[in-house]
Coordinates of all heavy atoms in Angstrom, one line a residue:
L1 N -22.8 27.2 4.1 CA -22.2 27.3 2.8 C -20.7 27.6 2.9 O -19.9 27.0 2.2 CB -22.9 28.4 2.0 CG -22.3 28.7 0.6 CD1 -22.6 27.6 -0.3 CD2 -22.8 30.0 0.1
V2 N -20.3 28.6 3.8 CA -18.9 28.9 3.9 C -18.0 27.8 4.4 O -17.0 27.5 3.7 CB -18.7 30.2 4.8 CG1 -17.3 30.5 5.0 CG2 -19.4 31.4 4.1
P3 N -18.5 27.1 5.4 CA -17.6 25.9 5.8 C -17.4 24.9 4.7 O -16.4 24.3 4.6 CB -18.3 25.3 7.1 CG -19.2 26.5 7.6 CD -19.6 27.3 6.4
S4 N -18.5 24.6 4.0 CA -18.4 23.6 3.0 C -17.5 24.0 1.8 O -16.8 23.2 1.2 CB -19.8 23.1 2.5 OG -20.4 24.2 1.9
L5 N -17.6 25.3 1.5 CA -16.8 25.9 0.5 C -15.3 25.8 0.9 O -14.4 25.4 0.1 CB -17.2 27.3 0.2 CG -16.4 28.0 -1.0 CD1 -16.8 27.3 -2.3 CD2 -16.7 29.5 -1.1
L6 N -15.0 26.2 2.1 CA -13.7 26.1 2.7 C -13.2 24.7 2.6 O -12.0 24.4 2.2 CB -13.7 26.6 4.1 CG -12.3 26.8 4.8 CD1 -11.5 27.8 4.0 CD2 -12.5 27.1 6.2
Q7 N -14.1 23.8 3.0 CA -13.7 22.3 3.0 C -13.3 21.9 1.6 O -12.4 21.2 1.4 CB -14.9 21.5 3.5 CG -14.5 20.1 3.9 CD -15.7 19.4 4.6 OE1 -16.9 19.7 4.3 NE2 -15.4 18.5 5.5
A8 N -14.1 22.3 0.6 CA -13.9 21.9 -0.8 C -12.6 22.5 -1.3 O -11.8 21.8 -1.9 CB -15.0 22.5 -1.7
V9 N -12.3 23.7 -0.9 CA -11.0 24.4 -1.3 C -9.8 23.6 -0.6 O -8.8 23.3 -1.3 CB -11.0 25.9 -0.9 CG1 -9.6 26.4 -1.1 CG2 -12.0 26.6 -1.8
L10 N -10.0 23.3 0.6 CA -8.9 22.5 1.3 C -8.7 21.2 0.7 O -7.6 20.8 0.5 CB -9.3 22.4 2.8 CG -9.0 23.6 3.7 CD1 -9.4 23.4 5.1 CD2 -7.5 23.9 3.7
C11 N -9.8 20.5 0.4 CA -9.7 19.2 -0.2 C -9.0 19.3 -1.6 O -8.1 18.5 -1.9 CB -11.1 18.6 -0.5 SG -11.8 17.9 1.1
A12 N -9.3 20.3 -2.4 CA -8.7 20.5 -3.7 C -7.2 20.7 -3.5 O -6.3 20.2 -4.2 CB -9.3 21.6 -4.4
A13 N -6.8 21.6 -2.5 CA -5.4 21.9 -2.2 C -4.7 20.7 -1.8 O -3.5 20.4 -2.3 CB -5.3 23.0 -1.2
V14 N -5.3 19.8 -1.0 CA -4.6 18.6 -0.5 C -4.4 17.7 -1.7 O -3.3 17.1 -1.9 CB -5.4 17.9 0.6 CG1 -4.9 16.5 0.9 CG2 -5.3 18.8 1.9
A15 N -5.5 17.5 -2.5 CA -5.4 16.6 -3.7 C -4.3 17.1 -4.6 O -3.5 16.3 -5.1 CB -6.7 16.6 -4.4
L16 N -4.2 18.4 -4.8 CA -3.2 19.0 -5.7 C -1.8 18.7 -5.1 O -0.9 18.3 -5.9 CB -3.4 20.5 -5.9 CG -2.7 21.1 -7.0 CD1 -3.2 20.6 -8.4 CD2 -2.8 22.6 -7.0
A17 N -1.6 18.9 -3.8 CA -0.3 18.7 -3.2 C 0.1 17.2 -3.3 O 1.2 16.9 -3.6 CB -0.4 19.1 -1.7
L18 N -0.9 16.3 -3.2 CA -0.6 14.9 -3.3 C -0.2 14.5 -4.7 O 0.7 13.7 -4.9 CB -1.8 14.1 -2.8 CG -2.1 14.0 -1.3 CD1 -3.4 13.3 -1.0 CD2 -0.9 13.3 -0.6
C19 N -0.9 15.1 -5.7 CA -0.6 14.7 -7.0 C 0.7 15.3 -7.5 O 1.5 14.7 -8.1 CB -1.7 15.2 -7.9 SG -3.3 14.4 -7.6
V20 N 0.9 16.6 -7.3 CA 2.0 17.3 -7.8 C 3.3 17.0 -6.9 O 4.3 16.7 -7.5 CB 1.8 18.9 -7.8 CG1 3.0 19.6 -8.3 CG2 0.6 19.1 -8.8
G21 N 3.1 17.1 -5.6 CA 4.2 16.8 -4.7 C 4.5 15.4 -4.7 O 5.7 14.9 -4.7
G22 N 3.5 14.6 -4.7 CA 3.6 13.1 -4.7 C 4.5 12.6 -3.6 O 5.6 12.0 -3.9
I23 N 4.1 12.8 -2.4 CA 4.9 12.2 -1.2 C 5.6 11.0 -1.6 O 5.1 9.9 -1.7 CB 3.9 12.0 -0.1 CG1 3.2 13.3 0.3 CG2 4.6 11.3 1.1 CD1 2.1 13.1 1.3
G24 N 6.9 11.1 -1.8 CA 7.8 10.0 -2.0 C 7.6 9.3 -3.4 O 8.0 8.2 -3.6
A25 N 6.8 10.0 -4.2 CA 6.5 9.4 -5.5 C 7.6 9.4 -6.5 O 8.4 10.4 -6.5 CB 5.3 10.1 -6.1
T26 N 7.8 8.4 -7.3 CA 8.8 8.4 -8.4 C 8.2 9.2 -9.5 O 7.0 9.5 -9.5 CB 9.0 7.0 -8.9 OG1 7.7 6.5 -9.4 CG2 9.4 6.0 -7.8
P27 N 9.1 9.7 -10.4 CA 8.6 10.5 -11.6 C 7.5 9.7 -12.3 O 6.5 10.3 -12.7 CB 9.8 10.7 -12.4 CG 10.9 10.6 -11.5 CD 10.5 9.6 -10.4
A28 N 7.7 8.4 -12.4 CA 6.7 7.6 -13.2 C 5.3 7.6 -12.4 O 4.3 7.8 -13.1 CB 7.1 6.1 -13.3
A29 N 5.4 7.5 -11.1 CA 4.1 7.5 -10.4 C 3.5 8.9 -10.5 O 2.2 9.0 -10.6 CB 4.4 7.2 -8.9
R30 N 4.3 10.0 -10.4 CA 3.7 11.3 -10.6 C 3.1 11.4 -12.0 O 2.0 12.0 -12.1 CB 4.8 12.4 -10.4 CG 5.1 12.7 -8.9 CD 5.8 14.0 -8.8 NE 7.0 14.1 -9.5 CZ 8.2 13.7 -9.0 NH1 8.2 13.2 -7.8 NH2 9.3 13.8 -9.7
G31 N 3.8 10.9 -13.0 CA 3.2 11.0 -14.3 C 2.0 10.2 -14.5 O 1.1 10.5 -15.3
A32 N 1.8 9.2 -13.6 CA 0.6 8.3 -13.7 C -0.6 9.1 -13.1 O -1.6 8.5 -13.1 CB 0.9 7.0 -13.0
G33 N -0.4 10.3 -12.7 CA -1.5 11.1 -12.2 C -1.9 10.8 -10.8 O -1.0 10.5 -10.0
C34 N -3.1 10.9 -10.5 CA -3.5 10.8 -9.1 C -4.0 9.4 -8.8 O -4.8 9.2 -7.8 CB -4.6 11.8 -8.7 SG -4.0 13.5 -9.0
R35 N -3.7 8.4 -9.6 CA -4.2 7.1 -9.3 C -3.6 6.5 -8.1 O -2.4 6.7 -7.8 CB -3.9 6.1 -10.5 CG -4.4 6.6 -11.8 CD -5.9 6.8 -11.8 NE -6.4 7.0 -13.2 CZ -7.6 7.4 -13.4 NH1 -8.5 7.7 -12.4 NH2 -8.0 7.6 -14.7
K36 N -4.4 5.9 -7.3 CA -3.9 5.4 -6.0 C -3.0 4.1 -6.1 O -2.1 3.9 -5.4 CB -5.1 5.1 -5.1 CG -4.8 4.6 -3.7 CD -6.0 4.5 -2.9 CE -5.8 3.8 -1.5 NZ -7.1 3.6 -0.8
H37 N -3.4 3.3 -7.1 CA -2.7 2.0 -7.3 C -1.9 2.1 -8.6 O -2.4 2.4 -9.6 CB -3.7 0.9 -7.4 CG -4.7 0.9 -6.2 ND1 -4.4 0.2 -5.0 CD2 -5.8 1.5 -6.0 CE1 -5.4 0.4 -4.2 NE2 -6.3 1.2 -4.7
V38 N -0.6 1.8 -8.4 CA 0.3 1.9 -9.6 C 1.1 0.6 -9.7 O 1.7 0.2 -8.7 CB 1.3 3.1 -9.4 CG1 2.2 3.2 -10.6 CG2 0.5 4.4 -9.2
R39 N 1.1 0.0 -10.9 CA 1.8 -1.2 -11.1 C 2.5 -1.1 -12.4 O 2.2 -0.3 -13.3 CB 0.8 -2.4 -11.2 CG -0.1 -2.7 -10.1 CD 0.7 -3.4 -8.9 NE -0.3 -3.7 -7.9 CZ -0.7 -2.9 -6.9 NH1 -0.2 -1.7 -6.9 NH2 -1.5 -3.3 -6.0
R40 N 3.6 -1.9 -12.5 CA 4.4 -1.9 -13.8 C 3.9 -3.1 -14.6 O 3.6 -4.2 -14.0 CB 5.9 -2.1 -13.5 CG 6.5 -0.9 -12.9 CD 7.9 -1.1 -12.5 NE 8.6 0.1 -12.3 CZ 9.4 0.7 -13.2 NH1 9.8 0.0 -14.3 NH2 9.9 1.8 -13.0
V41 N 3.9 -3.0 -15.9 CA 3.4 -4.1 -16.7 C 4.3 -5.3 -16.6 O 3.9 -6.5 -16.8 CB 3.3 -3.6 -18.2 CG1 4.7 -3.4 -18.9 CG2 2.4 -4.6 -19.0
T42 N 5.6 -5.1 -16.2 CA 6.5 -6.3 -16.0 C 6.0 -7.2 -14.8 O 6.3 -8.4 -14.8 CB 7.9 -5.8 -15.7 OG1 7.9 -4.7 -14.7 CG2 8.6 -5.2 -16.9
E43 N 5.2 -6.6 -13.9 CA 4.7 -7.4 -12.8 C 3.7 -8.4 -13.3 O 3.3 -9.3 -12.6 CB 4.0 -6.5 -11.7 CG 5.0 -5.6 -11.0 CD 4.3 -4.6 -10.1 OE1 3.4 -5.0 -9.3 OE2 4.6 -3.4 -10.2
Y44 N 3.2 -8.2 -14.5 CA 2.3 -9.1 -15.1 C 2.9 -10.0 -16.2 O 2.2 -10.7 -17.0 CB 1.1 -8.4 -15.7 CG 0.3 -7.6 -14.6 CD1 0.7 -6.3 -14.3 CD2 -0.7 -8.2 -13.9 CE1 0.0 -5.6 -13.3 CE2 -1.3 -7.5 -12.9 CZ -1.0 -6.2 -12.6 OH -1.6 -5.5 -11.6
G45 N 4.2 -10.0 -16.2 CA 5.0 -10.9 -17.0 C 5.3 -10.4 -18.4 O 5.9 -11.1 -19.2
A46 N 5.1 -9.1 -18.6 CA 5.5 -8.5 -19.9 C 7.0 -8.3 -20.1 O 7.7 -8.1 -19.1 CB 4.8 -7.2 -20.1
V47 N 7.4 -8.5 -21.3 CA 8.9 -8.3 -21.6 C 9.0 -7.3 -22.8 O 8.4 -7.5 -23.8 CB 9.5 -9.7 -22.1 CG1 11.0 -9.5 -22.4 CG2 9.3 -10.7 -21.0
G48 N 9.8 -6.3 -22.6 CA 9.9 -5.2 -23.5 C 11.1 -5.3 -24.5 O 11.9 -4.4 -24.6
D49 N 11.2 -6.5 -25.1 CA 12.3 -6.8 -26.0 C 11.9 -6.6 -27.5 O 12.8 -6.9 -28.4 CB 12.9 -8.2 -25.7 CG 11.8 -9.3 -26.0 OD1 10.7 -9.0 -26.4 OD2 12.2 -10.5 -25.8
G50 N 10.7 -6.2 -27.8 CA 10.3 -6.0 -29.2 C 9.9 -7.3 -29.9 O 9.5 -7.3 -31.0
K51 N 10.1 -8.5 -29.2 CA 9.8 -9.8 -29.8 C 8.8 -10.6 -29.1 O 7.9 -11.3 -29.7 CB 11.1 -10.6 -29.8 CG 12.2 -10.0 -30.7 CD 13.4 -10.9 -30.7 CE 14.6 -10.2 -31.3 NZ 15.8 -10.4 -30.6
T52 N 8.8 -10.5 -27.7 CA 7.8 -11.2 -26.9 C 6.4 -10.6 -27.1 O 6.2 -9.4 -27.1 CB 8.2 -11.2 -25.4 OG1 9.5 -11.6 -25.3 CG2 7.3 -12.0 -24.6
L53 N 5.4 -11.5 -27.4 CA 4.1 -11.0 -27.5 C 3.4 -10.9 -26.1 O 3.4 -11.8 -25.3 CB 3.2 -12.0 -28.3 CG 1.8 -11.6 -28.8 CD1 1.9 -10.3 -29.6 CD2 1.1 -12.7 -29.5
N54 N 3.0 -9.6 -25.8 CA 2.6 -9.3 -24.4 C 1.1 -9.1 -24.3 O 0.6 -8.6 -23.3 CB 3.3 -8.0 -24.0 CG 4.8 -8.2 -23.9 OD1 5.3 -9.0 -23.1 ND2 5.6 -7.4 -24.7
T55 N 0.3 -9.5 -25.3 CA -1.1 -9.3 -25.2 C -1.7 -9.8 -23.9 O -2.5 -9.1 -23.3 CB -1.8 -10.0 -26.4 OG1 -1.1 -9.8 -27.6 CG2 -3.2 -9.5 -26.6
A56 N -1.4 -11.1 -23.5 CA -2.0 -11.7 -22.3 C -1.6 -10.9 -21.1 O -2.4 -10.7 -20.2 CB -1.6 -13.1 -22.2
A57 N -0.3 -10.4 -21.0 CA 0.2 -9.6 -19.9 C -0.6 -8.3 -19.7 O -1.1 -8.0 -18.6 CB 1.7 -9.4 -20.0
F58 N -0.8 -7.6 -20.9 CA -1.6 -6.3 -20.8 C -3.0 -6.6 -20.4 O -3.6 -5.9 -19.6 CB -1.6 -5.6 -22.2 CG -0.3 -4.8 -22.4 CD1 0.7 -5.2 -23.2 CD2 -0.2 -3.5 -21.8 CE1 1.8 -4.4 -23.4 CE2 0.9 -2.7 -21.9 CZ 1.9 -3.2 -22.8
A59 N -3.6 -7.7 -20.9 CA -5.0 -8.0 -20.6 C -5.1 -8.4 -19.1 O -6.1 -8.0 -18.4 CB -5.5 -9.2 -21.5
R60 N -4.2 -9.2 -18.6 CA -4.2 -9.5 -17.2 C -4.0 -8.3 -16.3 O -4.7 -8.1 -15.3 CB -3.0 -10.4 -16.9 CG -3.2 -11.9 -17.0 CD -2.1 -12.7 -16.2 NE -0.8 -12.4 -16.7 CZ -0.2 -13.0 -17.7 NH1 -0.9 -13.9 -18.4 NH2 1.0 -12.7 -18.1
A61 N -3.1 -7.4 -16.7 CA -2.9 -6.1 -15.9 C -4.2 -5.3 -15.9 O -4.6 -4.8 -14.8 CB -1.8 -5.3 -16.5
V62 N -4.8 -5.1 -17.0 CA -6.0 -4.2 -17.1 C -7.1 -4.9 -16.3 O -7.8 -4.2 -15.5 CB -6.5 -4.0 -18.5 CG1 -7.8 -3.2 -18.6 CG2 -5.4 -3.2 -19.3
A63 N -7.3 -6.2 -16.4 CA -8.3 -6.9 -15.6 C -8.1 -6.8 -14.1 O -9.0 -6.5 -13.3 CB -8.4 -8.4 -16.0
D64 N -6.8 -6.9 -13.7 CA -6.5 -6.8 -12.3 C -6.7 -5.4 -11.8 O -7.3 -5.2 -10.7 CB -5.0 -7.3 -12.1 CG -4.6 -7.2 -10.7 OD1 -5.4 -7.7 -9.8 OD2 -3.5 -6.7 -10.4
L65 N -6.2 -4.4 -12.5 CA -6.3 -3.0 -12.0 C -7.7 -2.5 -12.1 O -8.0 -1.5 -11.4 CB -5.3 -2.2 -12.8 CG -3.8 -2.6 -12.6 CD1 -2.9 -1.8 -13.4 CD2 -3.4 -2.5 -11.1
G66 N -8.5 -3.1 -12.9 CA -9.9 -2.7 -13.0 C -10.7 -2.8 -11.7 O -11.7 -2.2 -11.4
R67 N -10.1 -3.7 -10.8 CA -10.7 -3.9 -9.5 C -10.7 -2.6 -8.7 O -11.4 -2.4 -7.7 CB -9.9 -4.9 -8.7 CG -9.9 -6.3 -9.3 CD -9.1 -7.2 -8.3 NE -7.7 -6.9 -8.3 CZ -6.9 -7.0 -7.2 NH1 -7.5 -7.3 -6.1 NH2 -5.7 -6.7 -7.3
Y68 N -9.8 -1.6 -9.0 CA -9.6 -0.4 -8.2 C -10.4 0.8 -8.7 O -10.1 1.9 -8.3 CB -8.1 -0.1 -8.1 CG -7.3 -1.2 -7.5 CD1 -6.3 -1.8 -8.3 CD2 -7.5 -1.6 -6.2 CE1 -5.5 -2.8 -7.7 CE2 -6.7 -2.6 -5.6 CZ -5.7 -3.2 -6.4 OH -5.0 -4.2 -5.8
A69 N -11.3 0.6 -9.7 CA -12.0 1.7 -10.3 C -12.7 2.5 -9.2 O -12.8 3.7 -9.2 CB -13.0 1.2 -11.3
G70 N -13.3 1.8 -8.2 CA -14.0 2.5 -7.1 C -13.1 3.0 -6.0 O -13.6 3.6 -5.0
D71 N -11.8 2.9 -6.1 CA -10.8 3.3 -5.1 C -9.7 4.1 -5.7 O -8.6 3.8 -5.6 CB -10.3 2.0 -4.4 CG -9.4 2.3 -3.2 OD1 -9.5 3.4 -2.6 OD2 -8.5 1.5 -2.9
R72 N -10.1 5.3 -6.3 CA -9.3 6.3 -6.9 C -8.5 5.7 -8.0 O -7.5 6.3 -8.5 CB -8.3 6.9 -5.8 CG -9.1 7.8 -4.9 CD -8.3 8.5 -3.8 NE -7.0 8.9 -4.2 CZ -6.0 8.9 -3.4 NH1 -6.2 8.6 -2.1 NH2 -4.8 9.2 -3.8
G73 N -8.9 4.6 -8.6 CA -8.3 4.1 -9.8 C -6.9 3.6 -9.8 O -6.3 3.5 -8.7
A74 N -6.4 3.2 -11.0 CA -5.1 2.6 -11.1 C -4.4 3.1 -12.3 O -5.0 3.5 -13.3 CB -5.3 1.1 -11.1
A75 N -3.1 3.0 -12.2 CA -2.2 3.3 -13.4 C -1.3 2.1 -13.7 O -0.8 1.5 -12.8 CB -1.4 4.5 -13.1
L76 N -1.2 1.8 -15.0 CA -0.3 0.8 -15.4 C 0.9 1.5 -16.1 O 0.8 2.2 -17.1 CB -0.9 -0.2 -16.4 CG 0.0 -1.3 -16.9 CD1 0.4 -2.2 -15.8 CD2 -0.8 -2.1 -18.0
V77 N 2.1 1.3 -15.5 CA 3.3 2.0 -16.0 C 4.0 1.0 -17.0 O 4.3 -0.1 -16.6 CB 4.2 2.4 -14.9 CG1 5.6 2.9 -15.4 CG2 3.6 3.4 -13.9
V78 N 4.3 1.6 -18.2 CA 5.0 0.8 -19.2 C 6.4 1.4 -19.2 O 6.6 2.6 -19.7 CB 4.3 0.9 -20.6 CG1 5.1 0.1 -21.6 CG2 2.9 0.4 -20.5
P79 N 7.4 0.7 -18.7 CA 8.8 1.3 -18.7 C 9.4 1.4 -20.1 O 8.8 0.9 -21.1 CB 9.6 0.2 -17.9 CG 8.6 -0.7 -17.3 CD 7.4 -0.6 -18.2
A80 N 10.5 2.0 -20.2 CA 11.2 2.1 -21.5 C 11.4 0.7 -22.1 O 11.7 -0.2 -21.3 CB 12.6 2.8 -21.3
G81 N 11.2 0.6 -23.4 CA 11.4 -0.7 -24.0 C 10.4 -0.7 -25.2 O 9.7 0.2 -25.5
R82 N 10.5 -1.9 -25.9 CA 9.6 -2.1 -27.1 C 8.6 -3.2 -26.7 O 9.1 -4.3 -26.6 CB 10.4 -2.3 -28.3 CG 11.5 -1.2 -28.6 CD 12.3 -1.5 -29.8 NE 11.6 -1.1 -31.0 CZ 11.5 -1.8 -32.1 NH1 12.1 -3.0 -32.2 NH2 10.8 -1.4 -33.1
W83 N 7.4 -2.9 -26.6 CA 6.4 -3.8 -26.1 C 5.4 -4.2 -27.2 O 4.5 -3.5 -27.6 CB 5.6 -3.1 -24.9 CG 6.5 -2.5 -23.9 CD1 7.1 -1.3 -23.9 CD2 7.1 -3.2 -22.8 NE1 7.9 -1.1 -22.8 CE2 7.9 -2.3 -22.1 CE3 6.9 -4.5 -22.2 CZ2 8.6 -2.6 -20.9 CZ3 7.5 -4.8 -21.1 CH2 8.4 -3.9 -20.4
L84 N 5.6 -5.4 -27.7 CA 4.8 -6.0 -28.8 C 3.5 -6.5 -28.2 O 3.5 -7.3 -27.2 CB 5.6 -7.1 -29.4 CG 4.9 -7.8 -30.6 CD1 4.7 -6.8 -31.8 CD2 5.6 -9.0 -31.1
T85 N 2.4 -6.1 -28.7 CA 1.1 -6.6 -28.2 C 0.0 -6.6 -29.3 O 0.1 -5.9 -30.3 CB 0.6 -5.7 -27.0 OG1 -0.6 -6.3 -26.5 CG2 0.4 -4.3 -27.4
G86 N -0.9 -7.5 -29.1 CA -2.2 -7.5 -29.9 C -3.1 -6.6 -29.2 O -2.8 -5.9 -28.2
P87 N -4.4 -6.5 -29.7 CA -5.3 -5.5 -29.1 C -5.7 -6.0 -27.7 O -5.8 -7.2 -27.4 CB -6.5 -5.6 -30.0 CG -6.4 -6.8 -30.9 CD -4.9 -7.2 -30.9
F88 N -5.9 -5.0 -26.8 CA -6.5 -5.2 -25.5 C -7.3 -4.0 -25.2 O -7.1 -2.9 -25.7 CB -5.4 -5.4 -24.4 CG -4.4 -4.3 -24.3 CD1 -4.6 -3.3 -23.3 CD2 -3.3 -4.2 -25.1 CE1 -3.7 -2.2 -23.2 CE2 -2.4 -3.2 -24.9 CZ -2.6 -2.2 -24.0
N89 N -8.4 -4.2 -24.3 CA -9.3 -3.1 -24.0 C -8.8 -2.4 -22.7 O -8.2 -3.1 -21.8 CB -10.7 -3.7 -23.7 CG -11.4 -3.9 -25.0 OD1 -11.1 -3.3 -26.1 ND2 -12.4 -4.9 -25.0
L90 N -9.0 -1.1 -22.6 CA -8.8 -0.4 -21.4 C -10.0 -0.4 -20.5 O -11.0 -1.0 -20.9 CB -8.4 1.0 -21.7 CG -7.1 1.2 -22.6 CD1 -6.8 2.6 -22.8 CD2 -6.0 0.4 -22.0
T91 N -10.0 0.1 -19.3 CA -11.1 0.1 -18.4 C -11.3 1.5 -17.8 O -10.5 2.4 -18.1 CB -10.9 -1.0 -17.4 OG1 -12.2 -1.1 -16.6 CG2 -9.8 -0.6 -16.4
S92 N -12.3 1.7 -17.0 CA -12.6 3.0 -16.4 C -11.6 3.3 -15.3 O -11.1 2.4 -14.6 CB -14.0 3.1 -15.9 OG -14.9 2.9 -16.9
H93 N -11.4 4.6 -15.0 CA -10.6 5.1 -13.9 C -9.2 4.4 -14.0 O -8.7 3.9 -13.0 CB -11.3 4.8 -12.5 CG -12.6 5.4 -12.4 ND1 -12.8 6.7 -12.2 CD2 -13.8 4.9 -12.6 CE1 -14.1 7.0 -12.2 NE2 -14.8 5.9 -12.5
F94 N -8.6 4.5 -15.2 CA -7.4 3.7 -15.4 C -6.5 4.6 -16.3 O -7.0 5.2 -17.3 CB -7.8 2.4 -16.2 CG -6.6 1.6 -16.6 CD1 -6.0 0.7 -15.8 CD2 -6.1 1.8 -17.9 CE1 -4.9 0.0 -16.2 CE2 -5.0 1.0 -18.3 CZ -4.4 0.1 -17.5
T95 N -5.2 4.7 -16.0 CA -4.3 5.4 -16.8 C -3.2 4.4 -17.4 O -2.6 3.7 -16.6 CB -3.5 6.5 -15.9 OG1 -4.5 7.4 -15.4 CG2 -2.5 7.2 -16.7
L96 N -3.0 4.5 -18.7 CA -1.9 3.7 -19.3 C -0.8 4.7 -19.4 O -0.9 5.6 -20.3 CB -2.4 3.1 -20.6 CG -1.3 2.3 -21.3 CD1 -1.0 1.0 -20.6 CD2 -1.8 1.9 -22.7
F97 N 0.2 4.6 -18.6 CA 1.3 5.5 -18.6 C 2.5 5.0 -19.3 O 3.1 4.0 -18.9 CB 1.7 5.9 -17.1 CG 2.8 6.9 -17.1 CD1 2.6 8.2 -17.2 CD2 4.1 6.4 -16.9 CE1 3.6 9.1 -17.2 CE2 5.2 7.3 -16.8 CZ 4.9 8.7 -17.0
L98 N 2.9 5.6 -20.4 CA 4.1 5.2 -21.1 C 5.3 6.1 -20.6 O 5.3 7.3 -20.8 CB 3.9 5.4 -22.6 CG 2.8 4.7 -23.3 CD1 2.9 4.8 -24.8 CD2 2.8 3.2 -22.9
H99 N 6.3 5.4 -20.1 CA 7.5 6.1 -19.6 C 8.3 6.6 -20.8 O 8.1 6.0 -21.9 CB 8.4 5.1 -18.8 CG 9.2 5.7 -17.8 ND1 10.4 6.3 -18.1 CD2 9.0 5.8 -16.5 CE1 10.9 6.8 -16.9 NE2 10.0 6.5 -15.9
R100 N 9.1 7.6 -20.7 CA 10.0 8.1 -21.7 C 10.7 6.8 -22.3 O 11.3 6.1 -21.5 CB 11.0 9.1 -21.2 CG 11.9 9.7 -22.2 CD 13.0 10.4 -21.6 NE 12.6 11.4 -20.6 CZ 12.4 12.7 -20.9 NH1 12.8 13.2 -22.0 NH2 12.0 13.5 -19.9
G101 N 10.7 6.7 -23.6 CA 11.4 5.6 -24.2 C 10.6 4.3 -24.3 O 11.1 3.3 -24.8
A102 N 9.3 4.3 -23.9 CA 8.5 3.2 -24.1 C 7.8 3.3 -25.4 O 7.2 4.3 -25.8 CB 7.5 3.1 -22.9
E103 N 7.7 2.1 -26.1 CA 7.0 2.1 -27.4 C 6.1 0.9 -27.4 O 6.5 -0.2 -27.0 CB 8.0 1.8 -28.6 CG 8.7 3.0 -29.1 CD 9.6 2.6 -30.3 OE1 10.7 2.2 -30.0 OE2 9.1 2.7 -31.4
I104 N 4.8 1.1 -27.8 CA 3.9 -0.1 -27.9 C 3.9 -0.5 -29.4 O 3.6 0.4 -30.3 CB 2.5 0.4 -27.5 CG1 2.5 0.9 -26.1 CG2 1.5 -0.8 -27.7 CD1 2.2 -0.1 -25.0
L105 N 4.2 -1.7 -29.7 CA 4.3 -2.2 -31.0 C 3.0 -3.1 -31.3 O 2.8 -4.0 -30.5 CB 5.5 -3.0 -31.3 CG 6.9 -2.4 -31.0 CD1 8.0 -3.4 -31.2 CD2 7.1 -1.1 -31.8
A106 N 2.3 -2.8 -32.3 CA 1.1 -3.6 -32.6 C 1.5 -4.8 -33.4 O 2.2 -4.7 -34.5 CB 0.1 -2.7 -33.4
S107 N 1.0 -5.9 -33.0 CA 1.3 -7.2 -33.7 C 0.5 -7.2 -35.0 O -0.5 -6.5 -35.1 CB 1.0 -8.4 -32.9 OG -0.4 -8.4 -32.6
Q108 N 0.9 -7.9 -36.0 CA 0.1 -8.0 -37.3 C -1.1 -8.9 -37.1 O -1.1 -9.8 -36.4 CB 1.0 -8.7 -38.3 CG 2.2 -7.8 -38.7 CD 1.8 -6.4 -39.2 OE1 1.1 -6.4 -40.2 NE2 2.3 -5.4 -38.6
Ligands
NAG201 C1 -13.1 -5.0 -26.3 O1 -14.4 -4.8 -25.9 C2 -15.4 -4.9 -26.9 C3 -16.7 -4.5 -26.4 O2 -17.0 -5.2 -25.3 C4 -15.3 -6.3 -27.5 O3 -16.2 -6.4 -28.6 C5 -13.9 -6.6 -28.0 O4 -13.9 -8.0 -28.4 C6 -12.9 -6.4 -26.8 N1 -11.6 -6.6 -27.4 C7 -10.7 -7.3 -26.7 C8 -9.4 -7.4 -27.4 O5 -10.9 -7.9 -25.7

């Protein structure tokens, strides 16, 4: 019991250090929580100009990052900008991280 308790405490401490300290992590990655895989929505072709419709880019990103549900999950970082989109579904073990200055605009 004692070794396994110690092991659990050590694991929690390491996880906390990784999440909070974020070895080499950018503020966006730290904000994205403890997700192992972090991508920007621009990598999927999204444009944050307030005019481009980004529904397909968000859907592609969520579908792609959903592959990592069993591997500590994924985060999609939305940088500062105005991101017009229609509806898209989220998935499990997934963080949608809006950077300071990021706005999601719902299309009509
Ligand atoms: C989201 O998922 C629900 C349930 O599967 C589905 O009915 C809906 O059409 C999906 N919406 C989009 C935008 O994919």
Side-chain angles (χ1 to χ4, degrees):
L1 177 72
V2 172
S4 65
L5 185 66
L6 186 65
Q7 194 174 30
V9 169
L10 278 176
C11 284
V14 168
L16 195 67
L18 285 175
C19 295
V20 176
I23 299 172
T26 63
R30 279 199 300 273
C34 301
R35 302 305 189 190
K36 182 174 172 187
H37 306 272
V38 180
R39 300 281 186 277
R40 290 175 162 255
V41 72
T42 47
E43 293 173 51
Y44 297 91
V47 180
D49 61 2
K51 293 179 193 142
T52 306
L53 189 60
N54 294 299
T55 315
F58 275 105
R60 270 197 302 276
V62 173
D64 182 43
L65 296 176
R67 296 182 292 141
Y68 300 119
D71 185 25
R72 289 181 34 213
L76 181 64
V77 174
V78 181
R82 305 180 80 225
W83 307 89
L84 181 66
T85 183
F88 59 92
N89 282 334
L90 301 182
T91 188
S92 300
H93 304 282
F94 175 86
T95 299
L96 181 64
F97 179 82
L98 301 189
H99 210 280
R100 182 195 307 261
E103 277 182 275
I104 304 271
L105 307 177
S107 64
Q108 295 300 306

